[in-house]
Amino acid sequence: MTGSARGRTGASGYRESVPLVAAAVCPHPPLIVPELAGAAAAELDELRAACDAAVAGLLAAAADEVLLIGDGPRTTTFDPADFGSLRPFGLDRPVRLGKTNCAGGERLPLSLTVGAWLVGRSGTELPRLARSVATDESPVACAELGASLVGGPDRRVALLVLGDGSTCRGRQAPGYDDPRAEAYDDGVARALADADAEALLGLDPVLSAELRVAGRAPWQVLAGAVRATGGDWRGELRHYSAPYGVAYLVASWEPA
């Protein structure tokens, strides 16, 4: 299915504008890493396979670099040498953003740590960059950040966007049960399937925060990037589930 993403806005931010050639959306649960899941690793096999397929599709777009976008405590840029850690979840092993011998800092938030793990798992040699977007960033600011990532002919970029849906799907969910959660997640699933940038930009920050959605801001950065790129885009929803009361969505977007 395709959606229209026309229009262009200007904003400062990422190094320089580059053409967007593809995007993938993946969640970032720590348990997607098999060593953390232990005996329960098989429960997320389908999700893990969908993420691997989305990353493979991203890399097949002949990009010059992969740019990871995920939520964090503030909006900032990371160096290729920076890394994250899954130590708080029981795995004492650094997860590096890029393949480099330079010294970096343990700076990546969870979203980008899992994203770096997914890209590293693919074995690609492509350069990797990363931006975090503040969890409470406004839709307008998210769209402007996305628009600042695209536009020039210099290098072809593929976006890997990390974000979980609501955490309120049932009484055992981390955010307990909220009857609004399923409809919210269903709407995001439709938007991702249809490559509907405007629907993503219309997500309510207040409701998203109440449902403890980690993906709202990164999804809106994606929407801003696609809208600024223009043209028609095709979406594919690869996975949608809520096995632990948290919505996990995997999708691929490409120019139609």
Side-chain angles (χ1 to χ4, degrees):
M1 305 178 75
T2 61
S4 180
R6 293 184 174 86
R8 185 175 297 276
T9 59
S12 62
Y14 174 64
R15 200 176 56 178
E16 61 184 18
S17 292
V18 290
L20 178 64
V21 297
V25 172
C26 292
H28 52 76
L31 290 181
I32 200 171
V33 180
E35 294 93 326
L36 283 177
E43 296 177 8
L44 293 184
D45 277 351
E46 185 177 336
L47 173 63
R48 203 173 292 113
C51 290
D52 286 344
V55 171
L58 197 67
L59 300 177
D64 296 311
E65 60 193 29
V66 180
L67 173 59
L68 283 66
I69 303 289
D71 78 318
R74 62 186 183 278
T75 299
T76 190
T77 303
F78 297 92
D79 295 326
D82 287 335
F83 59 94
S85 175
L86 295 170
R87 190 182 307 111
F89 306 96
L91 183 61
D92 190 9
R93 187 175 68 199
V95 181
R96 297 197 174 277
L97 175 59
K99 294 186 176 181
T100 175
N101 293 324
C102 298
E106 187 177 322
R107 302 178 59 220
L108 300 183
L110 174 63
S111 61
L112 297 176
T113 298
V114 173
W117 179 83
L118 286 170
V119 176
R121 177 177 166 89
S122 74
T124 182
E125 297 293 331
L126 283 180
R128 298 152 219 179
L129 302 170
R131 281 293 291 264
S132 64
V133 55
T135 304
D136 60 353
E137 200 75 85
S138 72
V140 171
C142 291
E144 290 178 347
L145 174 58
S148 76
L149 306 179
V150 301
D154 302 53
R155 289 177 68 78
R156 295 162 56 87
V157 67
L159 284 184
L160 176 58
V161 181
L162 289 309
D164 297 346
S166 74
T167 67
C168 303
R169 299 284 293 272
R171 294 184 178 181
Q172 303 303 315
Y176 196 59
D177 184 50
D178 192 312
R180 302 171 296 174
E182 185 172 358
Y184 179 100
D185 294 328
D186 288 350
V188 173
R190 286 191 299 271
L192 293 177
D194 295 343
D196 189 340
E198 298 308 317
L200 292 181
L201 288 172
L203 293 174
D204 180 7
V206 175
L207 176 59
S208 301
E210 291 173 351
L211 297 177
R212 298 173 59 175
V213 176
R216 191 272 306 172
W219 297 332
Q220 290 181 331
V221 172
L222 164 64
V226 167
R227 187 174 67 178
T229 300
D232 291 333
W233 283 68
R234 177 171 52 247
E236 177 185 358
L237 184 66
R238 294 181 179 271
H239 182 89
Y240 172 28
S241 66
Y244 307 123
V246 181
Y248 300 143
L249 302 107
V250 182
S252 296
W253 285 19
E254 61 183 10

